[in-house]
Amino acid sequence: MDSKNKYRFLLIGFISMLILNIAVIGSVWYLKPPRNITDFNNRGQRTFQPFERELNLSREQMDTFKKLRDEYRTNVSDIFQNIQQSKRMLFMELQSGNDQKVDSLVAEIGKGHEALERMNFNHFRALSSNLREDQKEAFRKTMRTMINLENRRGGPSSSGPPDSPRRGN
């Protein structure tokens, strides 16, 4: 086979592979499922569904749960925004070297996290107080499942500082 034919086969092979790659990428892009914006807007509904399904809530209980959830989210959002603002200020202060201000901001962030934990506890206590006795055990099981899933995802309670005993160091 002379060099002219080798060159021609290589060129045909290269062009074929290029066309095949473009076709595959195009079909993956074209056939991907559309992002469902309603899923994003209803993400609170997803967190409510396990309770509704597992606990057999009455209409009044569902309304109370939704009201408590909305109040909880509003309060958590406010605290979370305060924590984020304090963190931004902290990183600005780290460059200035003002240790007193840094300590103050760290304490403020810690108080915000403490407030979030208290709010979580009080929220779930309020949810539980609106249940009948037969629903409370199912509520506890559902909560344990949700907590275990969060821990498996690497939530805050599953890891400590880098040299902590929980990390195995």
Side-chain angles (χ1 to χ4, degrees):
M1 186 181 280
D2 62 0
S3 63
K4 199 174 195 180
N5 284 338
K6 284 183 186 178
Y7 177 73
R8 186 178 299 152
F9 283 125
L10 284 175
L11 185 62
I12 291 171
F14 176 75
I15 291 173
S16 300
M17 294 300 286
L18 184 65
I19 291 171
L20 182 63
N21 282 331
I22 290 171
V24 168
I25 291 171
S27 66
V28 167
W29 179 77
Y30 181 73
L31 297 175
K32 73 178 180 180
R35 293 184 71 185
N36 194 346
I37 294 176
T38 58
D39 282 350
F40 181 76
N41 292 335
N42 292 329
R43 62 182 177 228
Q45 190 65 26
R46 287 189 316 238
T47 59
F48 183 71
Q49 286 172 349
F51 294 117
E52 184 179 9
R53 184 177 54 246
E54 298 292 326
L55 303 178
N56 296 324
L57 299 176
S58 68
R59 173 55 64 193
E60 296 83 30
Q61 287 175 318
M62 286 178 12
D63 292 341
T64 302
F65 265 51
K66 288 176 183 176
K67 180 178 167 261
L68 289 170
R69 181 194 61 203
D70 292 342
E71 290 172 4
Y72 169 76
R73 285 198 171 161
T74 300
N75 295 335
V76 165
S77 176
D78 293 342
I79 293 173
F80 186 74
Q81 287 174 359
N82 290 340
I83 291 172
Q84 293 301 96
Q85 179 64 28
S86 296
K87 284 182 178 181
R88 282 191 288 276
M89 292 170 53
L90 173 66
F91 286 109
M92 289 181 353
E93 288 297 327
L94 285 174
Q95 295 176 355
S96 73
N98 185 350
D99 289 343
Q100 186 176 9
K101 183 70 173 173
V102 168
D103 290 342
S104 168
L105 288 169
V106 168
E108 191 174 322
I109 292 168
K111 287 178 186 174
H113 283 288
E114 180 182 354
L116 284 175
E117 290 301 321
R118 285 183 193 277
M119 194 170 293
N120 286 338
F121 177 78
N122 290 332
H123 172 66
F124 288 111
R125 179 190 286 170
L127 291 177
S128 178
S129 70
N130 290 306
L131 297 174
R132 297 183 314 264
E133 287 302 317
D134 61 314
Q135 293 172 321
K136 288 184 179 184
E137 183 58 34
F139 178 76
R140 282 190 283 276
K141 286 180 183 178
T142 303
M143 289 304 303
R144 268 187 246 129
T145 301
M146 292 172 75
I147 289 169
N148 288 337
L149 287 175
E150 181 65 29
N151 288 341
R152 255 187 265 142
R153 275 189 270 171
S157 60
S158 67
S159 64
D163 56 351
S164 75
R166 291 193 297 181
R167 282 232 167 141
N169 293 336

